Amino acid sequence: MLGTCKCFCVSRPPPCISVCRIDPATGWCEGCARTLQEIADWPMLSVREKDTLLIRLAERTKTAQ
């Protein structure tokens, strides 16, 4: 049942790179491309949800370039 565990025993580090500014046009952090809601939700997400968000962030940053 590890895949459904929402405990903090297995986790992913946040994608934060310490460039914490929200772009008013997109609502995304200029450093990690997360929204404020995604930043707030990170500690509560499962590993699977974090992996999904990391994929979405990679696509988001690729599209923004």
Side-chain angles (χ1 to χ4, degrees):
M1 293 297 168
L2 183 61
T4 59
C5 177
K6 286 198 178 230
C7 67
F8 297 104
C9 57
V10 177
S11 192
R12 299 279 187 271
C16 179
I17 60 167
S18 298
V19 178
C20 305
R21 288 185 303 270
I22 300 298
D23 181 325
T26 63
W28 303 340
C29 172
E30 292 180 8
C32 66
R34 292 181 292 172
T35 65
L36 287 174
Q37 188 63 55
E38 290 166 340
I39 293 167
D41 289 345
W42 186 264
M44 298 168 283
L45 297 177
S46 69
V47 172
R48 180 176 290 162
E49 290 167 324
K50 288 177 181 180
D51 288 345
T52 300
L53 179 54
L54 289 171
I55 292 166
R56 197 171 335 140
L57 294 175
E59 292 168 354
R60 187 179 291 171
T61 55
K62 197 183 266 188
T63 303
Q65 291 178 353

